[in-house]
Amino acid sequence: MLKLYHLPISFNSRRVWICLLEKKLDFELVEMKLDGDQYQSEFLKMNPFHHIPVLEVDGFPIIESFAILDYLETKYPTPALLPTNPEDLAIVRMVQMVTLTEFIPAMTPLLRQMMGFGEETPEKIEQSKEKIGVVLNFFAEKLRRSPYFGGEHLSLAELVAGTAIPFLPQMGIEMEDYPKIKEWCDRLMQRSSWQETQPTPEAIAGFKAQMKELMSKR
C-alpha cells in the first residue's frame, strides 16, 4: 500500500500527489499539519530531516519529491511520464531542475509577501520578477514545438513546474505576457488531477493563519 505524507498546499507534495492520480494508483493520504507532527518519533524514523513529502511503500520510506517521482515512474511505467526521445528527455530534466534551482528561489520573495510572512523591499521584488521572466521565456521556448515539455504527452516536467507557475497571477505577474505558458497552464488546469489537488482559497487562508500563529511563538 502506498501512503503519502503530505501538506496539500506544498508544491513538493502536490507534484507527487498528481503523479499518483495520473498513474491511477491506490494510495492513502496522510495530511501533515507541520505544527510539530513532523517531529514525532514515528515520522522522524521515516525522514530524519522532518520534511514532506514522504512516500511509504509497504514500510519502505522514500523522501525528496524528485526521488519519489523517479520511483513511481520506474515502478509504474504506465502511463509514461518520461519521454524516450533524448532531446525531449533533456528538456524535461532541464525544466525540472530550472524550476527547483532558479524559478522557486526567484518566486520565494513574492510568495512570502503574498502569504503575509514579511515585507520585501521593492528592489527585491523587482529582482524576483526579472528572474521569473527569464525562466518563463526559457520555458516558453521549450514549448514552441509541442503542447507539453516532453512532447505530445504530460511529463514529470509538468508535475514539477505546473504546480508552481499557475500561482503567479496571485503574485502580480500577468500570464498574458507569456501566451505559450498561459496556454500550457490552461491545458493543465483542464486535467482532473490538477483540479482535484488545487488548493482552495480556504486552504490557503488556513495555512496563512497557522503559519502566522507558529511564527508568533518563535
Side-chain angles (χ1 to χ4, degrees), residues 15 17 19 29 35 42 53 55 64 67 70-71 101 119 121 142 152 157 179 202 207 210 212 216:
R15 62 181 66 135
W17 189 3
C19 186
L29 284 175
D35 57 358
E42 288 304 310
L55 183 70
E64 299 297 338
D70 283 344
Y71 170 86
T101 62
E119 287 294 325
T121 66
K142 301 307 174 191
E152 296 300 316
E202 293 77 16
F207 179 74
Q210 178 190 352
K212 285 182 179 178
S216 69

mmCIF file of all heavy atoms in Angstrom, residues 15 17 19 29 35 42 53 55 64 67 70-71 101 119 121 142 152 157 179 202 207 210 212 216:
data_model
loop_
_atom_site.group_PDB
_atom_site.id
_atom_site.type_symbol
_atom_site.label_atom_id
_atom_site.label_comp_id
_atom_site.label_asym_id
_atom_site.label_seq_id
_atom_site.Cartn_x
_atom_site.Cartn_y
_atom_site.Cartn_z
ATOM 1 N N ARG A 15 3.163 17.733 -6.397
ATOM 2 C CA ARG A 15 3.666 17.079 -7.610
ATOM 3 C C ARG A 15 3.606 15.563 -7.472
ATOM 4 O O ARG A 15 3.321 14.860 -8.449
ATOM 5 C CB ARG A 15 5.070 17.575 -7.943
ATOM 6 C CG ARG A 15 6.133 17.284 -6.915
ATOM 7 C CD ARG A 15 7.515 17.831 -7.289
ATOM 8 N NE ARG A 15 7.575 19.275 -7.335
ATOM 9 C CZ ARG A 15 8.556 19.994 -6.801
ATOM 10 N NH1 ARG A 15 9.551 19.391 -6.167
ATOM 11 N NH2 ARG A 15 8.563 21.301 -6.892
ATOM 12 N N TRP A 17 1.447 13.936 -5.413
ATOM 13 C CA TRP A 17 0.016 13.642 -5.364
ATOM 14 C C TRP A 17 -0.552 13.527 -6.787
ATOM 15 O O TRP A 17 -1.279 12.582 -7.125
ATOM 16 C CB TRP A 17 -0.672 14.762 -4.602
ATOM 17 C CG TRP A 17 -2.119 14.557 -4.253
ATOM 18 C CD1 TRP A 17 -2.894 13.460 -4.495
ATOM 19 C CD2 TRP A 17 -2.958 15.505 -3.588
ATOM 20 N NE1 TRP A 17 -4.162 13.665 -4.023
ATOM 21 C CE2 TRP A 17 -4.232 14.909 -3.460
ATOM 22 C CE3 TRP A 17 -2.753 16.787 -3.090
ATOM 23 C CZ2 TRP A 17 -5.303 15.576 -2.856
ATOM 24 C CZ3 TRP A 17 -3.813 17.442 -2.487
ATOM 25 C CH2 TRP A 17 -5.069 16.840 -2.372
ATOM 26 N N CYS A 19 1.122 12.872 -9.520
ATOM 27 C CA CYS A 19 1.704 11.680 -10.144
ATOM 28 C C CYS A 19 0.898 10.431 -9.784
ATOM 29 O O CYS A 19 0.583 9.607 -10.645
ATOM 30 C CB CYS A 19 3.158 11.519 -9.718
ATOM 31 S SG CYS A 19 4.034 10.175 -10.550
ATOM 32 N N LEU A 29 -3.725 9.121 1.706
ATOM 33 C CA LEU A 29 -3.175 10.432 2.008
ATOM 34 C C LEU A 29 -3.141 10.644 3.515
ATOM 35 O O LEU A 29 -4.137 10.401 4.194
ATOM 36 C CB LEU A 29 -4.024 11.538 1.384
ATOM 37 C CG LEU A 29 -3.889 11.780 -0.120
ATOM 38 C CD1 LEU A 29 -4.906 12.820 -0.563
ATOM 39 C CD2 LEU A 29 -2.483 12.231 -0.485
ATOM 40 N N ASP A 35 2.767 21.486 12.525
ATOM 41 C CA ASP A 35 2.747 22.247 13.770
ATOM 42 C C ASP A 35 3.475 21.497 14.875
ATOM 43 O O ASP A 35 3.302 21.757 16.057
ATOM 44 C CB ASP A 35 1.311 22.532 14.198
ATOM 45 C CG ASP A 35 0.485 21.258 14.353
ATOM 46 O OD1 ASP A 35 1.023 20.162 14.090
ATOM 47 O OD2 ASP A 35 -0.693 21.361 14.737
ATOM 48 N N GLU A 42 7.777 8.707 15.173
ATOM 49 C CA GLU A 42 7.426 7.794 14.088
ATOM 50 C C GLU A 42 7.723 8.414 12.730
ATOM 51 O O GLU A 42 8.187 7.730 11.816
ATOM 52 C CB GLU A 42 5.947 7.388 14.186
ATOM 53 C CG GLU A 42 5.635 6.439 15.326
ATOM 54 C CD GLU A 42 6.481 5.172 15.274
ATOM 55 O OE1 GLU A 42 6.532 4.542 14.192
ATOM 56 O OE2 GLU A 42 7.113 4.837 16.292
ATOM 57 N N PRO A 53 7.292 15.921 1.076
ATOM 58 C CA PRO A 53 6.512 14.702 1.289
ATOM 59 C C PRO A 53 7.390 13.505 1.623
ATOM 60 O O PRO A 53 8.605 13.518 1.399
ATOM 61 C CB PRO A 53 5.846 14.494 -0.071
ATOM 62 C CG PRO A 53 6.877 14.993 -1.041
ATOM 63 C CD PRO A 53 7.501 16.199 -0.365
ATOM 64 N N LEU A 55 6.829 9.273 0.844
ATOM 65 C CA LEU A 55 6.008 8.179 0.331
ATOM 66 C C LEU A 55 6.459 6.900 1.004
ATOM 67 O O LEU A 55 7.624 6.515 0.893
ATOM 68 C CB LEU A 55 6.153 8.036 -1.186
ATOM 69 C CG LEU A 55 5.269 6.953 -1.816
ATOM 70 C CD1 LEU A 55 3.793 7.354 -1.769
ATOM 71 C CD2 LEU A 55 5.695 6.658 -3.256
ATOM 72 N N GLU A 64 12.181 13.131 -0.476
ATOM 73 C CA GLU A 64 12.537 14.019 -1.581
ATOM 74 C C GLU A 64 11.637 13.742 -2.793
ATOM 75 O O GLU A 64 11.627 12.644 -3.341
ATOM 76 C CB GLU A 64 14.013 13.915 -1.975
ATOM 77 C CG GLU A 64 14.977 14.286 -0.873
ATOM 78 C CD GLU A 64 14.841 15.749 -0.449
ATOM 79 O OE1 GLU A 64 14.324 16.576 -1.235
ATOM 80 O OE2 GLU A 64 15.239 16.068 0.687
ATOM 81 N N ALA A 67 12.999 12.113 -6.030
ATOM 82 C CA ALA A 67 13.277 10.688 -5.859
ATOM 83 C C ALA A 67 11.977 9.891 -5.888
ATOM 84 O O ALA A 67 11.914 8.793 -6.469
ATOM 85 C CB ALA A 67 14.024 10.437 -4.554
ATOM 86 N N ASP A 70 10.743 9.624 -9.498
ATOM 87 C CA ASP A 70 11.522 8.635 -10.254
ATOM 88 C C ASP A 70 11.143 7.215 -9.853
ATOM 89 O O ASP A 70 11.067 6.315 -10.698
ATOM 90 C CB ASP A 70 13.019 8.868 -10.049
ATOM 91 C CG ASP A 70 13.551 10.037 -10.863
ATOM 92 O OD1 ASP A 70 12.861 10.480 -11.801
ATOM 93 O OD2 ASP A 70 14.661 10.515 -10.561
ATOM 94 N N TYR A 71 10.918 7.005 -8.567
ATOM 95 C CA TYR A 71 10.486 5.678 -8.103
ATOM 96 C C TYR A 71 9.163 5.296 -8.752
ATOM 97 O O TYR A 71 9.021 4.184 -9.289
ATOM 98 C CB TYR A 71 10.347 5.669 -6.580
ATOM 99 C CG TYR A 71 9.680 4.412 -6.057
ATOM 100 C CD1 TYR A 71 10.426 3.264 -5.803
ATOM 101 C CD2 TYR A 71 8.303 4.358 -5.858
ATOM 102 C CE1 TYR A 71 9.807 2.096 -5.356
ATOM 103 C CE2 TYR A 71 7.680 3.207 -5.409
ATOM 104 C CZ TYR A 71 8.437 2.080 -5.162
ATOM 105 O OH TYR A 71 7.818 0.924 -4.731
ATOM 106 N N THR A 101 15.975 25.061 -9.038
ATOM 107 C CA THR A 101 17.149 25.866 -8.688
ATOM 108 C C THR A 101 17.038 27.344 -9.059
ATOM 109 O O THR A 101 17.757 28.177 -8.500
ATOM 110 C CB THR A 101 18.412 25.300 -9.360
ATOM 111 O OG1 THR A 101 18.263 25.361 -10.792
ATOM 112 C CG2 THR A 101 18.649 23.849 -8.951
ATOM 113 N N GLU A 119 7.552 41.639 4.756
ATOM 114 C CA GLU A 119 7.619 42.595 3.656
ATOM 115 C C GLU A 119 8.977 42.494 2.967
ATOM 116 O O GLU A 119 10.006 42.373 3.623
ATOM 117 C CB GLU A 119 7.397 44.014 4.169
ATOM 118 C CG GLU A 119 5.959 44.309 4.564
ATOM 119 C CD GLU A 119 5.007 44.276 3.393
ATOM 120 O OE1 GLU A 119 5.416 44.677 2.277
ATOM 121 O OE2 GLU A 119 3.857 43.842 3.585
ATOM 122 N N THR A 121 11.635 44.329 0.087
ATOM 123 C CA THR A 121 11.926 45.637 -0.485
ATOM 124 C C THR A 121 11.485 45.676 -1.945
ATOM 125 O O THR A 121 11.451 44.637 -2.622
ATOM 126 C CB THR A 121 13.430 45.936 -0.411
ATOM 127 O OG1 THR A 121 14.137 45.012 -1.252
ATOM 128 C CG2 THR A 121 13.943 45.824 1.026
ATOM 129 N N LYS A 142 10.958 26.293 -24.888
ATOM 130 C CA LYS A 142 10.948 24.829 -24.882
ATOM 131 C C LYS A 142 9.579 24.257 -25.254
ATOM 132 O O LYS A 142 9.462 23.080 -25.561
ATOM 133 C CB LYS A 142 11.370 24.295 -23.510
ATOM 134 C CG LYS A 142 12.762 24.729 -23.063
ATOM 135 C CD LYS A 142 13.814 24.408 -24.102
ATOM 136 C CE LYS A 142 15.178 24.964 -23.709
ATOM 137 N NZ LYS A 142 16.158 24.896 -24.820
ATOM 138 N N GLU A 152 4.143 15.300 -26.933
ATOM 139 C CA GLU A 152 2.688 15.310 -27.071
ATOM 140 C C GLU A 152 1.971 14.903 -25.790
ATOM 141 O O GLU A 152 0.742 15.014 -25.713
ATOM 142 C CB GLU A 152 2.272 14.367 -28.211
ATOM 143 C CG GLU A 152 2.765 14.795 -29.576
ATOM 144 C CD GLU A 152 2.245 16.182 -29.971
ATOM 145 O OE1 GLU A 152 1.048 16.441 -29.750
ATOM 146 O OE2 GLU A 152 3.050 16.984 -30.471
ATOM 147 N N ALA A 157 7.997 17.026 -16.052
ATOM 148 C CA ALA A 157 8.258 18.466 -16.072
ATOM 149 C C ALA A 157 6.996 19.240 -15.721
ATOM 150 O O ALA A 157 7.047 20.248 -15.007
ATOM 151 C CB ALA A 157 8.777 18.891 -17.447
ATOM 152 N N PRO A 179 2.129 34.126 -23.540
ATOM 153 C CA PRO A 179 0.998 33.356 -24.085
ATOM 154 C C PRO A 179 1.236 31.858 -24.162
ATOM 155 O O PRO A 179 0.308 31.074 -23.908
ATOM 156 C CB PRO A 179 0.777 33.977 -25.471
ATOM 157 C CG PRO A 179 2.027 34.753 -25.773
ATOM 158 C CD PRO A 179 2.587 35.173 -24.465
ATOM 159 N N GLU A 202 -9.832 28.713 0.864
ATOM 160 C CA GLU A 202 -9.959 28.429 2.288
ATOM 161 C C GLU A 202 -8.718 27.729 2.831
ATOM 162 O O GLU A 202 -8.259 28.028 3.940
ATOM 163 C CB GLU A 202 -11.199 27.558 2.536
ATOM 164 C CG GLU A 202 -12.528 28.230 2.257
ATOM 165 C CD GLU A 202 -12.863 28.324 0.775
ATOM 166 O OE1 GLU A 202 -12.221 27.611 -0.030
ATOM 167 O OE2 GLU A 202 -13.754 29.111 0.429
ATOM 168 N N PHE A 207 -3.774 28.007 5.964
ATOM 169 C CA PHE A 207 -2.323 27.834 6.067
ATOM 170 C C PHE A 207 -1.661 29.132 6.509
ATOM 171 O O PHE A 207 -0.758 29.132 7.354
ATOM 172 C CB PHE A 207 -1.759 27.377 4.721
ATOM 173 C CG PHE A 207 -0.274 27.189 4.723
ATOM 174 C CD1 PHE A 207 0.304 26.099 5.356
ATOM 175 C CD2 PHE A 207 0.556 28.102 4.091
ATOM 176 C CE1 PHE A 207 1.682 25.919 5.356
ATOM 177 C CE2 PHE A 207 1.929 27.930 4.080
ATOM 178 C CZ PHE A 207 2.491 26.842 4.722
ATOM 179 N N GLN A 210 -2.257 29.573 10.204
ATOM 180 C CA GLN A 210 -1.477 28.619 11.001
ATOM 181 C C GLN A 210 -0.017 29.034 11.061
ATOM 182 O O GLN A 210 0.604 29.015 12.125
ATOM 183 C CB GLN A 210 -1.589 27.225 10.390
ATOM 184 C CG GLN A 210 -0.779 26.169 11.119
ATOM 185 C CD GLN A 210 -0.714 24.860 10.355
ATOM 186 O OE1 GLN A 210 -1.395 24.677 9.355
ATOM 187 N NE2 GLN A 210 0.120 23.956 10.814
ATOM 188 N N LYS A 212 1.275 32.035 10.611
ATOM 189 C CA LYS A 212 1.443 33.268 11.400
ATOM 190 C C LYS A 212 1.428 32.962 12.893
ATOM 191 O O LYS A 212 2.184 33.552 13.664
ATOM 192 C CB LYS A 212 0.339 34.255 11.024
ATOM 193 C CG LYS A 212 0.538 34.916 9.674
ATOM 194 C CD LYS A 212 -0.566 35.934 9.382
ATOM 195 C CE LYS A 212 -0.355 36.605 8.046
ATOM 196 N NZ LYS A 212 -1.422 37.563 7.720
ATOM 197 N N SER A 216 4.578 33.532 15.419
ATOM 198 C CA SER A 216 4.442 34.430 16.575
ATOM 199 C C SER A 216 4.953 33.805 17.852
ATOM 200 O O SER A 216 5.275 34.504 18.815
ATOM 201 C CB SER A 216 2.974 34.819 16.753
ATOM 202 O OG SER A 216 2.199 33.700 17.173
#
